[in-house]
Amino acid sequence: MDDATLTPPRIIACKRDGGALGRDAIAAFVRGATDGSWADYQLSALLMAIYLRGMDAAETAALTEAMMRSGVVADLSGVPGRKVDKHSTGGVGDKVSLPLAAMVAACGVPVPMISGRGLGHTGGTLDKLESIPGFRVGLSLEEYRAQVGRIGCALIGQTRDLAPADKKLYALRDVTATVECLPLICASIMSKKMAEGIDALVLDVKFGRGAFMKTLPEARALAEAMCAIGAAMAKPTRALLTRMDQPLGRAVGNAVEVAESIACLRGEAEGAEDLMELTYSLGAEMLLLARVETEAAAARARLAGVVASGAALEKFREIVAAQGGDPRVCDDPVGILPAARLTGEVRSARAGWVAGVDAMAVALAALRLGAGRTRAEDAVDHAVGFTRLAKVGARVEAGDLLGVVHANDETRLAEARAALAGAVEIADEAPAAEALIVERIG
Ligand code: URA
């Protein structure tokens, strides 16, 4: 298309008829989303055409780059070292970002991390962090840059100037049934990550009952597309494909997940081997991409070393203090974090093996308790959720604990107890062990 034909109807028609959009057409679309020169119905029509017709690799890369450039691209070149971040496609009980950022930064690798809030069934790192009294996630880009330079890590929320086209397009996708579209997901995630000022990226692409992608092939396709975009933009990107059928670790909520993250940083997250395993595996990839280690085993040993020495917990304390949070949370999480008024146990009705803990059912129960939001403007109750959740493969006797509900009213407590009881499947046989990390891509 030449410039004269770059009108919204022509661009929409091109995609509607199965054509490939050139860089100029994609740039016009993204400009239209950012400056308001395209009407919502035109943006939505093109989103639906993309949903139905797809985009090839070149189109997806052009869309990602245009969305990244729709706002400020943070410049962290003044911070020494290769800056590496991690992004997860979203899971249940997925608090990995908290211990991971502190561990990797304690190994001397700068971690500029811009995270999201929970929406729908998945939790959000920002909501978890905000359960620490005083913690400020709304740093300006200047404060973010200065903090990464000073202490090697900042954990912040998306600012208005980073990839504003994504904000507009994501809101339209949400209401036009065009969220589940690989090139759009890919461009949305990667444009924001590439605008952070990173040198490399590790992705945790989840699949299973509690994930956005339900099957391994879907997760693989998304991971491959995102790694290809990273490579095209000269930002080496590696993905782990990880199972998300049961909640990660043993806590689901906000404050309860911060407490579990602190236990993880102390090396004391009892029964949460999956959380430790995933944190070490993603961390090892980050150290390799940062080129401070060349072997995965050495990278894992280095991460385990900063946990054992207390350096990782000290780094977390430093981050919390730098962002206005109460650093005493590292010593006394129970005393500092908000606690729910009521707790209630769920116990097994019979003996057997835990064959499944339905991550989606637990997530929806946590949402009903108030731990998440169904609309972006909803408030979150930081205190509620689940702890001491049973793990798949555990042997239980009748009356053994399957989990504890933390609630702020009696009705919701009763509903959540019933939901958790229904989410845990007890079988006569031990289930076959399944790997948490299934593939490595990139
Ligand atoms: N997360 C994002 O940031 N964008 C998507 O499109 C899907 C998940």
Side-chain angles (χ1 to χ4, degrees):
M1 287 186 197
D2 57 38
D3 273 7
T5 61
L6 287 177
T7 62
R10 294 243 182 172
I11 295 171
I12 296 164
C14 172
K15 185 46 74 182
R16 179 199 64 198
D17 298 339
L21 299 177
R23 294 183 76 82
D24 290 352
I26 289 170
F29 163 57
V30 172
R31 212 169 30 247
T34 313
D35 66 13
S37 57
W38 281 40
D40 284 2
Y41 48 80
Q42 293 170 319
L43 296 169
S44 302
L46 184 53
L47 289 169
M48 184 56 83
I50 293 170
Y51 180 94
L52 295 171
R53 293 294 196 167
M55 275 185 147
D56 64 25
E59 290 176 287
T60 311
L63 179 61
T64 308
E65 187 159 357
M67 284 168 65
M68 174 187 88
R69 296 199 189 287
S70 66
V72 174
V73 178
D75 178 7
L76 298 181
S77 57
V79 178
R82 284 171 62 77
K83 277 70 66 183
V84 187
D85 188 14
K86 184 268 321 184
H87 177 80
S88 156
T89 56
V92 181
D94 182 5
K95 69 279 295 171
V96 165
S97 289
L98 278 65
L100 178 69
M103 280 184 205
V104 172
C107 291
V109 173
V111 183
M113 193 177 269
I114 300 185
S115 305
R117 294 191 179 279
L119 189 61
H121 82 279
T122 61
T125 298
L126 300 182
D127 298 319
K128 293 169 202 183
L129 288 169
E130 282 181 343
S131 58
I132 302 173
F135 198 103
R136 218 160 54 86
V137 297
L139 304 190
S140 67
L141 272 184
E142 202 31 68
E143 289 174 302
Y144 158 82
R145 192 171 13 229
Q147 186 173 314
V148 175
R150 201 171 62 252
I151 64 172
C153 182
L155 302 173
I156 72 163
Q158 164 106 38
T159 71
R160 209 172 305 157
D161 6 341
L162 275 176
D166 178 63
K167 195 166 182 57
K168 176 71 187 175
L169 293 176
Y170 195 87
L172 288 175
R173 286 168 59 205
D174 209 19
V175 292
T176 57
T178 52
V179 169
E180 301 88 350
C181 168
L182 196 141
L184 295 177
I185 295 173
C186 213
S188 166
I189 293 175
M190 295 301 279
S191 62
K192 286 178 286 198
K193 289 286 134 184
M194 297 295 140
E196 283 180 349
I198 51 172
D199 298 301
L201 178 65
V202 174
L203 297 166
D204 176 7
V205 181
K206 295 187 180 294
F207 67 95
R209 299 207 261 205
F212 202 44
M213 300 280 154
K214 298 298 172 205
T215 67
L216 179 58
E218 284 175 299
R220 188 183 293 125
L222 178 61
E224 283 171 349
M226 291 199 286
C227 289
I229 286 182
M233 297 175 87
K235 309 286 182 193
T237 300
R238 194 161 294 152
L240 298 184
L241 303 187
T242 71
R243 209 178 291 278
M244 174 34 71
D245 290 319
Q246 65 170 330
L248 192 63
R250 300 187 68 199
V252 174
N254 293 293
V256 292
E257 291 198 35
V258 172
E260 190 171 46
S261 302
I262 290 169
C264 177
L265 284 165
R266 291 181 170 280
E268 293 169 359
E270 201 194 320
E273 284 78 18
D274 56 346
L275 172 62
M276 292 308 286
E277 165 64 15
L278 187 54
T279 307
Y280 281 147
S281 299
L282 291 164
E285 298 295 351
M286 291 172 78
L287 298 194
L288 294 174
L289 284 173
R291 301 187 190 142
V292 298
E293 292 290 349
T294 53
E295 299 290 335
R300 285 177 84 97
R302 188 153 163 180
L303 292 161
V306 293
V307 171
S309 71
L313 184 66
E314 283 317 302
K315 184 55 73 179
F316 189 68
R317 187 194 305 277
E318 219 179 335
I319 298 165
V320 170
Q323 295 190 223
D326 187 339
R328 291 174 303 165
V329 73
C330 295
D331 311 307
D332 180 18
V334 175
I336 300 295
L337 292 168
R341 244 173 1 94
L342 308 167
T343 56
E345 294 178 344
V346 174
R347 293 193 171 266
S348 183
R350 67 182 187 97
W353 273 270
V354 178
V357 181
D358 184 340
M360 184 57 91
V362 174
L364 295 177
L367 191 62
R368 280 192 294 274
L369 277 170
R373 50 172 78 75
T374 44
R375 290 172 311 160
E377 57 277 19
D378 289 348
V380 157
D381 184 341
H382 291 109
V384 299
F386 298 93
T387 55
R388 301 178 67 192
L389 289 169
K391 299 300 291 180
V392 170
R395 168 77 199 172
V396 289
E397 303 304 326
D400 278 358
L401 191 66
L402 299 179
V404 177
V405 179
H406 300 247
N408 271 326
D409 78 63
E410 299 283 356
T411 312
R412 290 186 188 189
L413 176 69
E415 282 171 4
R417 287 181 71 194
L420 179 57
V424 181
E425 184 193 343
I426 307 290
D428 294 331
E429 310 263 314
E434 287 184 311
L436 173 65
I437 299 165
V438 175
E439 257 177 64
R440 179 174 184 257
I441 289 181

